[in-house]
């Protein structure tokens, strides 16, 4: 369902949601039912929620070199052991960079669409909650801006992390003992640390949940899983969460 959205961003680099909707509908074969705009928005918000898609940095960031020089001069009067010196270009980039809540802020739902979003698998879509009074106007205005003016792009960090996980999981499979493949796969699927691209951390309960979805996995217990994870060089401090260092394996 989200293939056309991702493909559009990969091929064009940056698009508004409105452009993505037009492109997605134009790709539907003749005689086939065209997806509704709110359905496309729901799928798009799923991608943003999962961090596969993000808002682009500010196109015209405000940066005043004179103000920066004044603040730098003030900082120099404060004794420090070391101070990071940034180039003018890097300072502008830092000004344009969005915070995580801004980067992955989903498109709000207008009031007429809010009632149609109940089937969304996660309830983290902020716009799906009904607002009252002035908030309704703000929500619709924000939705219009996000759809027609905000530029979106693929979050390559997320995709590279997914590829890194897949590489490490597949690389180690031939060396695994018989019967441990499902545990190894479940460990990667239950990953909790999307922000850390150098390691995978999964809880034992998350691994059990993913394992229960695999053939023969439902019969495995925590006692079966923990020795396998330790044998696979996963580390743990409390026996509840296990971490695997991706860097060592990629370097090897």
């Amino acid at each position: 369902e989200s293939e056309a959205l991702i493909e559009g961003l990969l091929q064009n680099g940056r698009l508004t949601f409105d452009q993505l909707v037009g492109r997605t509908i134009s790709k539907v074969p003749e005689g086939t039912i065209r997806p509704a705009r709110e359905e496309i928005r729901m799928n798009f918000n799923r991608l943003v929620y999962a961090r596969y898609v993000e808002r682009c940095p500010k196109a015209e960031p405000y940066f005043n070199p004179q103000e920066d020089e004044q603040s730098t001069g003030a900082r120099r009067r404060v004794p420090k052991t070391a101070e990071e010196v940034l180039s003018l270009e890097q300072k502008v980039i830092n000004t344009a960079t969005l915070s995580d809540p801004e980067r992955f802020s989903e498109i709000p739902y207008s009031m007429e669409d809010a009632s149609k979003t109940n089937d969304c698998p996660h309830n983290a879509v902020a716009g799906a909650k009904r607002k009252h009074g002035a908030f309704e106007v703000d929500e619709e205005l924000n939705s219009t801006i996000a759809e027609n003016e905000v530029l979106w792009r693929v979050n390559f960090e997320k995709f590279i992390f997914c590829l890194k996980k897949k590489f490490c999981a597949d690389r180690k499979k031939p060396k695994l003992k018989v019967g441990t493949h499902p545990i190894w796969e479940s460990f990667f699927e239950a990953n909790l640390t999307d922000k850390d691209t150098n390691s995978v951390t999964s809880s034992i309960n998350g691994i059990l949940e993913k394992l229960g979805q695999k053939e023969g996995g439902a019969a495995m217990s925590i006692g079966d899983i923990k020795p396998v994870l330790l044998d696979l060089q996963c580390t743990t401090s409390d026996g509840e969460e296990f971490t695997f260092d991706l860097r060592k394996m990629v370097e090897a």
Side-chain angles (χ1 to χ4, degrees):
E1 296 171 341
S2 304
E3 224 173 88
L5 296 171
I6 289 291
E7 182 187 68
L9 290 173
L10 287 173
Q11 289 181 348
N12 295 278
R14 296 176 297 174
L15 290 174
T16 64
F17 175 73
D18 198 50
Q19 290 171 323
L20 276 169
V21 170
R23 185 188 179 281
T24 302
I25 292 175
S26 70
K27 293 284 182 180
V28 176
E30 286 187 17
T32 308
I33 298 175
R34 292 186 173 186
R37 188 181 185 90
E38 61 268 19
E39 183 185 349
I40 297 173
R41 190 194 290 112
M42 189 188 299
N43 288 327
F44 182 81
N45 276 344
R46 284 194 184 109
L47 291 172
V48 177
Y49 178 77
R51 301 199 168 203
Y52 287 112
V53 172
E54 65 178 358
R55 297 184 184 222
C56 292
K58 298 169 189 171
E60 297 178 3
Y62 174 75
F63 177 76
N64 189 331
Q66 292 181 342
E67 288 181 6
D68 184 70
E69 284 298 322
Q70 292 172 1
S71 61
T72 303
R75 285 199 302 271
R76 281 176 185 156
R77 291 193 288 272
V78 180
K80 282 187 178 181
T81 54
E83 183 177 350
E84 185 182 6
V85 180
L86 299 175
S87 66
L88 179 62
E89 291 81 1
Q90 189 58 51
K91 289 174 182 176
V92 173
I93 290 172
N94 290 348
T95 305
T97 302
L98 302 176
S99 65
D100 269 14
E102 291 174 312
R103 283 173 67 194
F104 305 108
S105 176
E106 300 161 18
I107 297 177
Y109 290 83
S110 58
M111 292 308 296
E112 62 267 23
D113 292 335
S115 60
K116 300 175 184 177
T117 61
N118 295 330
D119 296 332
C120 195
H122 63 272
N123 289 324
V125 179
K129 297 178 182 176
R130 286 192 168 271
K131 308 280 196 251
H132 297 282
F135 289 106
E136 292 180 5
V137 180
D138 293 343
E139 201 71 8
E140 289 184 11
L141 178 62
N142 290 336
S143 179
T144 302
I145 292 172
E147 290 186 18
N148 302 317
E149 297 179 29
V150 174
L151 285 170
W152 301 85
R153 68 181 182 184
V154 163
N155 177 17
F156 280 93
E157 291 175 1
K158 172 75 173 182
F159 279 96
I160 289 169
F161 179 55
C162 290
L163 287 171
K164 196 186 287 186
K165 284 201 300 178
K166 181 173 172 55
F167 166 80
C168 288
D170 291 346
R171 184 82 174 176
K172 206 174 181 85
K173 271 184 181 179
K175 303 173 185 177
L176 297 179
K177 296 177 182 176
V178 177
T180 59
H181 282 199
I183 297 175
W184 184 236
E185 288 176 351
S186 299
F187 168 74
F188 276 96
E189 290 169 7
N191 168 59
L192 297 171
T193 53
D194 274 346
K195 289 186 180 179
D196 179 9
T197 60
N198 293 316
S199 65
V200 175
T201 300
S202 297
S203 69
I204 194 71
N205 290 332
I207 298 169
L208 273 172
E209 182 183 343
K210 296 294 182 182
L211 198 56
Q213 299 168 10
K214 300 184 183 297
E215 187 177 351
M220 294 187 182
S221 64
I222 293 178
D224 299 321
I225 297 171
K226 285 187 176 180
V228 173
L229 293 174
L230 295 174
D231 191 44
L232 292 170
Q233 299 178 323
C234 296
T235 58
T236 180
S237 57
D238 56 7
E240 294 300 318
E241 290 187 358
F242 289 79
T243 300
F244 180 78
D245 192 338
L246 294 172
R247 285 175 300 184
K248 291 181 181 178
M249 189 162 190
V250 172
E251 287 167 5

